[in-house]
Amino acid sequence: MMPAPAPRRVRATAAAMDLLRRLRATHGPLMLHQSGGCCDGSAPMCYPAGEFVIGDRDVLLGLLDLRLRTGEHPTTPAPSEDIAPVWISGPQFTAWQHTQLVLDVVPGRGSGFSLESPEGYRFLSRGRVFASTELDILSTTEIITGETYDQGARPTPSPEPQVVAEAVDACPVPGRETR
């Protein structure tokens, strides 16, 4: 029997993906980093690829394929300019490893360091706690750090859709009916 595939550690809403595509058209290839700072430092930050130095102990949550829309799966490997890696600091990953990060976007002005700041929107991390069965699967999955990524390690593709229409589709609110 084949082991169950690992759930994605990061997903994104359609609105977040739309904003990422607009930012890529202006700034070129992108990357995101979820730090563990306070205030805006705890928001996901979007940078031109390579503008933020990834540490050896930072953890890759996933690779967002900017070609994908809600519910789609890739049919071909994405060119590097269509991939936005999502990283998290090592200590923050330790605290969040039981949580699927859902990248969303809301109106407002974020940090001046993140590319979306002048757009009138800010990226926001939402989260869904993994079920115990998902955590069991993830415990057998290789964690990709900045060091192992530099050595060529890449995540195993997941059959779970990467893009959801809205955050509630990935992280249902208890007591509310989902679509």
Tab-separated table of all heavy atoms in Angstrom, residues 19-30 115 119:
chain	number	residue	atom	x	y	z
A	19	LEU	N	-2.549	38.921	-6.682
A	19	LEU	CA	-1.614	39.977	-6.298
A	19	LEU	C	-0.175	39.550	-6.581
A	19	LEU	O	0.624	40.349	-7.095
A	19	LEU	CB	-1.796	40.350	-4.826
A	19	LEU	CG	-0.892	41.464	-4.300
A	19	LEU	CD1	-1.008	42.741	-5.120
A	19	LEU	CD2	-1.208	41.742	-2.834
A	20	LEU	N	0.158	38.325	-6.300
A	20	LEU	CA	1.515	37.844	-6.604
A	20	LEU	C	1.807	37.922	-8.099
A	20	LEU	O	2.907	38.316	-8.507
A	20	LEU	CB	1.707	36.411	-6.104
A	20	LEU	CG	1.863	36.251	-4.597
A	20	LEU	CD1	1.773	34.774	-4.200
A	20	LEU	CD2	3.167	36.865	-4.120
A	21	ARG	N	0.838	37.583	-8.935
A	21	ARG	CA	1.048	37.673	-10.388
A	21	ARG	C	1.262	39.126	-10.824
A	21	ARG	O	2.120	39.412	-11.658
A	21	ARG	CB	-0.118	37.031	-11.139
A	21	ARG	CG	-0.077	35.510	-11.117
A	21	ARG	CD	-1.120	34.896	-12.045
A	21	ARG	NE	-2.440	34.923	-11.462
A	21	ARG	CZ	-2.926	33.991	-10.629
A	21	ARG	NH1	-2.194	32.956	-10.287
A	21	ARG	NH2	-4.135	34.096	-10.155
A	22	ARG	N	0.499	40.053	-10.245
A	22	ARG	CA	0.692	41.482	-10.570
A	22	ARG	C	2.078	41.950	-10.130
A	22	ARG	O	2.769	42.669	-10.857
A	22	ARG	CB	-0.385	42.346	-9.909
A	22	ARG	CG	-1.754	42.204	-10.546
A	22	ARG	CD	-2.727	43.312	-10.169
A	22	ARG	NE	-2.825	43.661	-8.773
A	22	ARG	CZ	-3.667	43.130	-7.899
A	22	ARG	NH1	-4.492	42.179	-8.268
A	22	ARG	NH2	-3.698	43.549	-6.653
A	23	LEU	N	2.485	41.541	-8.939
A	23	LEU	CA	3.809	41.936	-8.441
A	23	LEU	C	4.921	41.331	-9.292
A	23	LEU	O	5.925	41.989	-9.574
A	23	LEU	CB	3.965	41.517	-6.976
A	23	LEU	CG	3.068	42.248	-5.980
A	23	LEU	CD1	3.169	41.600	-4.602
A	23	LEU	CD2	3.393	43.730	-5.914
A	24	ARG	N	4.746	40.099	-9.723
A	24	ARG	CA	5.747	39.468	-10.586
A	24	ARG	C	5.866	40.208	-11.915
A	24	ARG	O	6.968	40.402	-12.440
A	24	ARG	CB	5.417	38.001	-10.830
A	24	ARG	CG	6.546	37.326	-11.633
A	24	ARG	CD	6.147	36.166	-12.494
A	24	ARG	NE	4.915	36.401	-13.175
A	24	ARG	CZ	3.986	35.474	-13.366
A	24	ARG	NH1	4.159	34.254	-12.939
A	24	ARG	NH2	2.889	35.752	-14.003
A	25	ALA	N	4.733	40.660	-12.470
A	25	ALA	CA	4.771	41.403	-13.735
A	25	ALA	C	5.579	42.697	-13.598
A	25	ALA	O	6.246	43.126	-14.540
A	25	ALA	CB	3.345	41.707	-14.207
A	26	THR	N	5.551	43.291	-12.418
A	26	THR	CA	6.275	44.541	-12.166
A	26	THR	C	7.712	44.305	-11.726
A	26	THR	O	8.624	44.998	-12.175
A	26	THR	CB	5.549	45.362	-11.075
A	26	THR	OG1	4.212	45.613	-11.502
A	26	THR	CG2	6.262	46.676	-10.804
A	27	HIS	N	7.927	43.329	-10.847
A	27	HIS	CA	9.220	43.167	-10.179
A	27	HIS	C	10.015	41.935	-10.609
A	27	HIS	O	11.135	41.753	-10.145
A	27	HIS	CB	9.015	43.101	-8.659
A	27	HIS	CG	8.346	44.310	-8.109
A	27	HIS	ND1	8.999	45.500	-7.897
A	27	HIS	CD2	7.044	44.523	-7.745
A	27	HIS	CE1	8.150	46.393	-7.421
A	27	HIS	NE2	6.958	45.827	-7.315
A	28	GLY	N	9.444	41.079	-11.432
A	28	GLY	CA	10.131	39.843	-11.810
A	28	GLY	C	9.867	38.743	-10.805
A	28	GLY	O	8.945	38.839	-9.989
A	29	PRO	N	10.676	37.674	-10.831
A	29	PRO	CA	10.462	36.542	-9.931
A	29	PRO	C	10.432	36.976	-8.459
A	29	PRO	O	11.119	37.919	-8.061
A	29	PRO	CB	11.659	35.631	-10.210
A	29	PRO	CG	12.064	35.980	-11.612
A	29	PRO	CD	11.794	37.459	-11.746
A	30	LEU	N	9.611	36.271	-7.680
A	30	LEU	CA	9.349	36.642	-6.284
A	30	LEU	C	9.729	35.543	-5.307
A	30	LEU	O	9.897	34.386	-5.685
A	30	LEU	CB	7.852	36.935	-6.098
A	30	LEU	CG	7.231	37.975	-7.012
A	30	LEU	CD1	5.718	37.981	-6.843
A	30	LEU	CD2	7.818	39.350	-6.741
A	115	LEU	N	6.745	44.065	-1.056
A	115	LEU	CA	6.418	44.642	-2.360
A	115	LEU	C	4.967	45.083	-2.515
A	115	LEU	O	4.677	45.960	-3.315
A	115	LEU	CB	6.756	43.637	-3.474
A	115	LEU	CG	8.224	43.372	-3.735
A	115	LEU	CD1	8.388	42.290	-4.791
A	115	LEU	CD2	8.941	44.643	-4.156
A	119	GLU	N	0.464	48.846	-3.076
A	119	GLU	CA	-0.705	48.379	-3.822
A	119	GLU	C	-2.024	48.594	-3.071
A	119	GLU	O	-3.094	48.367	-3.626
A	119	GLU	CB	-0.556	46.886	-4.152
A	119	GLU	CG	0.655	46.539	-4.970
A	119	GLU	CD	0.560	47.010	-6.404
A	119	GLU	OE1	-0.541	46.943	-6.983
A	119	GLU	OE2	1.591	47.447	-6.946
